[in-house]
Amino acid sequence: AQSVTQLGSHVSVSEGALVLLRCNYSSSVPPYLFWYVQYPNQGLQLLLKYTTGATLVKGINGFEAEFKKSETSFHLTKPSAHMSDAAEYFCAVSDENQGGKLIFGQGTELSVKP
Amino acid sequence: EAQVTQNPRYLITVTGKKLTVTCSQNMNHEYMSWYRQDPGLGLRQIYYSMNVEVTDKGDVPEGYKVSRKEKRNFPLILESPSPNQTSLYFCASSRRQGAGEQYFGPGTRLTVT
């Protein structure tokens, strides 16, 4: 069965600092991988996704993630944090064997200090 | 505007009183799904539907029902809610399974006392 693990339920960075949110997955087949962001009192919004092709994926708001098959990782980064990046971030993998449902990690809450 | 809508956004109810949370999408998506979000557990799928009249259980289906009579609507039914169903619920839709992006509704916060 596929699974997703996000390291760190809470990450705090200073404004302008590097953001690194870690995600590891397990999958028996080539995965489709996603990062979603959830702002307070809102639904989830897609940041970026990896399906095939280039392993470095660029998303919205300056975020990017790199698919590393050898490490089964899909870490999310942003070079310089902004106050508006404060939110909860979810990594997810799509399970093709179960109707393509999304299997989510536990989430990482990002705080940005001024 | 392409969107997934859910109603109500907030609901407080008592144990055993049947309720329905509606979900509608205007993107002509075939695939729709319900998730619940609980602290420390991320989102878990309750039910999904790959097309009209086609539904299947997700990871946590106990205590829930769904129906898909029309392509755009996918209501979630709690026949006899219990306090352990207190949660934040999200409906999602996508054009196709797998690599297709899922679009999420704004969420319904349900409290069962």
Side-chain angles (χ1 to χ4, degrees), chain A residues 32 34 36 38 41-46 49 51 88 90 94 96 98-107, chain B residues 9-10 31 35 37 40-43 45 48 50 58-59 88 90 97-102 104-107:
Chain A
Y32 296 141
F34 305 80
Y36 281 85
Q38 183 180 28
N41 298 315
Q42 294 187 28
L44 278 72
Q45 178 183 0
L46 182 70
K49 67 178 181 181
T51 53
E88 189 153 21
F90 291 94
S94 178
E96 290 302 293
Q98 296 191 47
K101 77 174 183 183
L102 288 174
I103 298 169
F104 286 88
Q106 306 92 319
Chain B
R9 292 289 312 279
Y10 302 91
Y31 186 86
Y35 296 87
Q37 182 182 8
L41 297 177
L43 282 82
Q45 190 186 57
Y48 66 95
M50 289 191 280
D59 293 322
L88 181 58
F90 289 100
Q97 315 166 32
E101 173 186 353
Q102 291 200 24
F104 284 80

Side-chain angles (χ1 to χ4, degrees), chain B residues 50-70:
Chain B
M50 289 191 280
N51 214 325
V52 175
E53 302 292 2
V54 180
T55 63
D56 209 346
K57 296 177 180 179
D59 293 322
V60 288
E62 294 77 19
Y64 304 95
K65 287 175 56 177
V66 293
S67 68
R68 187 92 182 273
K69 293 184 171 56
E70 304 166 283

Side-chain angles (χ1 to χ4, degrees), chain B residues 5-22:
Chain B
T5 57
Q6 295 178 228
N7 282 291
R9 292 289 312 279
Y10 302 91
L11 179 59
I12 301 173
T13 189
V14 296
T15 299
K17 185 176 181 181
K18 181 180 178 180
L19 66 92
T20 299
V21 183
T22 64

